[in-house]
Amino acid sequence: MKGPFGDAWDRLFAPAVAHRGLWSKSGPPENSLGAFEAACEAGYGIELDVQLSSDGEAMVFHDTKLERLTGAEGRLSDHTAADLGQLKLPGGEETIPTLAETLALVGHRAMVLIELKTPYGEVGPLEQRVHDIIIDHHGPLALIGFNPYSHAWYADRHPGILRGLDSYAYRGPDTARMAPEQRKSFARLEHVAIARPHFLALGLDMLPDARADKYRAEGMPVVAWTTRSPGEWDAVKGCCDNHIFEGFAA
C-alpha cells in the first residue's frame, strides 16, 4: 500500500540500499557514477552524500577534504564544480559527479537516499540547491542527514519531500566539537522534535533502542546503517525496516 510519498515510501522498505553505491576496491569507487550504475543493475537502492562546491553546485562526495579519494589537497568546498569534475577518483577514469548528473543516470531505476552534509550554522544554500535539482527528478528519493536544522528547513518549506533523520550513539572523536549535553540529547533522539522527519536512519551502535522502537510503533520506519555482513543485519532487522549496506551481497 502506498504511503503519502508514493513509490518513494514503498521503496524505503525494500530493496536494501547500497552505501555510496555498489562500490569495491576492485570495482568502481564510492560515490561514483559507476557505483550507482552497478547498484541499479543489481536491483539495490542507493545512498549518496552531497555537499556544495565553492560556486554552489551540489557535488556527490563524502569527505570534507579531497585527499583520501583524489590525492588533491584542500576542502571540496574550496573548489569550483568544474575543477572538481576534473579530479580522478581511485581506480580509473571516474571523476566526482554532480547530483544532477547522478539523478539523470539513475532515473526511475532505484530509490536514492541523498545525505546532505550541511555544516552547523550553514543551513540554506545546500538545501536550496538540492531542492532545485530534485524537483525535476521523477524517480523515488528521500533526503537524509544528521543536521536537524537542515531537516527543519525542509519541514518548513517543502514538507512533501520524504526525509529521514540520521543519528547514532554520538560517542567517539568525531563528536569532540559538540557540547556534552548536545551529544547526549541527540543520542536520546531528542532532536527528532526539531527535525520532524518521516523516518529514522540509525547507526548500528545505537540499535536496538527503546526510543526508536517507540517512534517505529507510532509509524516512523527505521533504516539501519551501515551493515557490513549478513550477521550485522540479522542482529538488528527485528527492530528495523531496511538497511544501508556495503561489502556484501545484501
Side-chain angles (χ1 to χ4, degrees), residues 1-13 111 140-141 160 162:
M1 179 179 176
K2 292 189 188 306
F5 306 97
D7 290 343
W9 182 261
D10 293 345
R11 293 170 77 171
L12 181 63
F13 297 86
M111 173 69 165
L141 60 76
L162 182 62

Side-chain angles (χ1 to χ4, degrees), residues 118-159:
T118 305
Y120 286 96
E122 298 181 23
V123 171
L126 177 58
E127 287 71 20
Q128 185 62 59
R129 180 57 186 145
V130 168
H131 182 259
D132 290 345
I133 294 167
I134 66 175
I135 57 175
D136 292 324
H137 180 69
H138 300 291
L141 60 76
L143 304 179
I144 60 175
F146 294 89
N147 188 329
Y149 302 101
S150 171
H151 282 276
W153 188 97
Y154 275 99
D156 291 340
R157 293 165 178 81
H158 308 290

Side-chain angles (χ1 to χ4, degrees), residues 16-34:
V17 180
H19 186 231
R20 304 178 196 169
L22 198 61
W23 64 276
S24 69
K25 292 182 179 179
S26 59
E30 66 178 67
N31 275 329
S32 68
L33 294 181

Side-chain angles (χ1 to χ4, degrees), residues 13 34 46-47 58 69 91 97 105 115 118 131 151 163 165 167 171 196 203 225-226 240 245:
F13 297 86
I46 294 167
E47 183 269 353
L69 286 170
L105 172 76
E115 182 180 324
T118 305
H131 182 259
H151 282 276
R163 292 176 295 101
L165 177 64
S167 198
R171 295 189 293 262
R196 290 165 280 160
W225 59 267
T226 300
C240 298
F245 75 95

Side-chain angles (χ1 to χ4, degrees), residues 202-245:
L202 302 181
L204 296 181
D205 63 349
M206 70 173 296
L207 290 170
D209 181 85
R211 290 157 296 232
D213 291 344
K214 180 176 181 293
Y215 282 119
R216 188 172 181 237
E218 294 170 353
M220 189 178 291
V222 173
V223 177
W225 59 267
T226 300
T227 58
R228 291 181 169 86
S229 71
E232 287 189 344
W233 174 228
D234 287 342
V236 300
K237 67 182 180 182
C239 61
C240 298
D241 299 283
N242 201 353
H243 62 128
I244 300 169
F245 75 95

Side-chain angles (χ1 to χ4, degrees), residues 59-123:
M59 308 299 298
V60 179
F61 198 79
H62 176 270
D63 297 4
T64 301
K65 296 183 178 180
L66 293 165
E67 185 174 5
R68 179 176 69 90
L69 286 170
T70 71
E73 296 183 356
R75 300 161 62 93
L76 179 139
S77 60
D78 293 333
H79 297 262
T80 65
D83 289 342
L84 293 168
Q86 298 300 312
L87 295 178
K88 296 291 194 300
L89 296 170
E93 296 302 308
E94 293 264 14
T95 58
I96 301 173
T98 66
L99 178 61
E101 291 169 338
T102 299
L103 293 181
L105 172 76
V106 174
H108 292 265
R109 294 183 296 161
M111 173 69 165
V112 182
L113 302 185
I114 302 170
E115 182 180 324
L116 277 68
K117 311 291 283 186
T118 305
Y120 286 96
E122 298 181 23
V123 171

